[in-house]
Each structure stands twice: as C-alpha cells, then as structure tokens.
Amino acid sequence: MGRSRRTIPEELLLLALDPATGTTAQPQSLDLGLAGAQLVELALAGRIAPDGDRIAVVLPRPTGDPTLDSALELLRRRGSPVRAVHWIGGPRLGLRQTYLTHLERCGMVHAVSGQMCGVLPTTRYQATDTAISREIRARLDAAIRTGVPPDPRTAALAALAHAVGLGKHLYPGNEGRSCRSRLRDLIRHDPMGGLVAHAVMDVQNGVGAQPRRAPAGGAPAGRSPARATASAAPSARHVPEQARHLAGGMVRAGAR
C-alpha cells in the first residue's frame, strides 16, 4: 500500500485531535474506533471481507503499512473468521499512541512536551499542516450538506466518527444537531463501515454476548425496532460481553 493516501485510522485520529489543546476528543471510544478503522482499511485494500457478523481474511499478503499488517497478521493467526465485536473489544493498549507516533514520524503532527500540575510530564500533539485536517473535515461537510452519496472511504470515516462520539466535537451545540443527525445517517452508505461502526457502539454499550430471542414482532428483545433495523448490517450479529476497557488512559497526556 503506497503512502499517497492517508489511511482511515490516520484520518479518524486527525479529526479527533483538538487544534487548541493538542489532546484527542473521546479518548476511550477512540481506541475502539481506531481498531475498527483498521478493519475498514484492510477491507478496502482487499485483505479482509465481512462474513455475516464476522471478519474473514481473504488475502494475507502484507499491505506495506506496518500497523495495518500487524492487525492483518493477528487476524490471520485466528485461523477462522472472528466477530467484529470480539476483535474491536479486544485489548488495544497503546493503539492511539502508536498512531500519534506514526503521524509525528510522517510529519503530520509534532509533539509538545509539558507538565501537568507542574509535576507530571505530558505530551500534546499539534498538527503541523492544518490544511490536511481541513480537507478531511471538508469531505465530511460536503457529504453531510450536499446529500450526494459519499465515496466508501468518506462514508466509513463518517460512520466511525459517529460511532466514537465525535459528532459533538465536530458539530457542537444545538446548531450542530442536524449535522450530527446526517453524520449518523451516512453509516448506511458503506456496509463494512456500518458493520464496524455498530460493533464499536455495541462494545461501548456492553451488549450481551449471546443473541437474544426475537419476540413475535421480530425485533430482538431489549432493542427498539429502530435499533434492530439499524444494526442489521449485513446480517444478524452476535455481540460479546462487555469488553475489557483499555487499561486506563495513556501516561502521556497527548494520548488522552
């Protein structure tokens, strides 16, 4: 995979990076989102494909991106398709920091050292080229405001941004309510992005591991018909016990 195109995990992290504070919005759910974004990127690269509610490796050849290839190898070692919620809910300690370090190495951000309360060392990250972040944001804005179906990459990015709760960061306040609603609706434009985004939300919500019996009306018990319809992508999904939360925040405040 060449470096002429930014990956979805990179773009998701740049969207979450606050230019004023140098910290990331929604840090806990962002870790889950980055794991999901890796799945979408690998799918777009033709390495994996959805198999019902599971993810199957269809081409184990490396992409050339070390971080993605590490995820691909872990998936390959499973030996059989893995449920998206199980993968996303697994331990992902350090994934945010891995991508922050990667963005710094690529020259997209630079680290700024400091102290918290005058004692604890911290590291914050500032974008070195705000035009990149503006371009990513402009793609989302265009998809939201024009109503034109977005390309798969933008649709998947929008789905993940919604899933990790970046809507209020990107479109705050009452004036941003309609944009947040349309951001959520973009989830339908990419099946893989939708599958992964729903898995991210299910892990956050601690949805039970076993499928629930459907009542006579057809919707799974405990879910509203609207939620059941939204989460049927692309087939009925079984979801895990509440995943272990990633082991606390990063020591480095820039990865908060």
Side-chain angles (χ1 to χ4, degrees), residues 49 51 54-57 75 78-83:
D51 180 7
R54 298 172 183 262
I55 304 298
V57 175
L75 286 166
R78 294 291 183 98
S80 60
V82 59
R83 288 191 175 95

Side-chain angles (χ1 to χ4, degrees), residues 147-163:
V148 176
D151 62 274
R153 301 184 70 83
T154 302
L157 181 63
L160 286 162
H162 166 70

Side-chain angles (χ1 to χ4, degrees), residues 27-169:
Q28 298 294 343
S29 56
L30 184 59
D31 289 317
L32 302 174
L34 289 172
Q38 288 184 317
L39 293 180
V40 177
E41 190 66 46
L42 287 170
L44 289 171
R47 280 12 183 223
I48 63 174
D51 180 7
D53 66 330
R54 298 172 183 262
I55 304 298
V57 175
V58 295
L59 182 63
R61 188 177 70 222
T63 66
D65 181 303
T67 310
L68 290 175
D69 289 340
S70 176
L72 179 62
E73 177 61 14
L74 288 173
L75 286 166
R76 186 193 66 79
R77 289 179 185 174
R78 294 291 183 98
S80 60
V82 59
R83 288 191 175 95
V85 282
H86 286 177
W87 173 260
I88 291 168
R92 291 291 177 273
L93 184 63
L95 192 55
R96 247 178 310 146
Q97 189 59 54
T98 295
Y99 271 105
L100 284 168
T101 301
H102 168 72
L103 290 178
E104 183 182 17
R105 189 166 55 246
C106 292
M108 291 191 223
V109 302
H110 68 277
V112 179
S113 298
Q115 288 184 327
M116 181 183 295
C117 301
V119 179
L120 298 175
T122 65
T123 303
R124 300 177 185 274
Y125 292 85
Q126 302 288 344
T128 56
D129 186 353
T130 56
I132 295 176
S133 297
R134 288 198 302 270
E135 183 272 327
I136 298 169
R137 175 70 179 272
R139 281 168 37 218
L140 283 186
D141 288 347
I144 286 172
R145 293 180 173 137
T146 65
V148 176
D151 62 274
R153 301 184 70 83
T154 302
L157 181 63
L160 286 162
H162 166 70
V164 303
L166 288 183
K168 291 183 179 180
H169 168 70

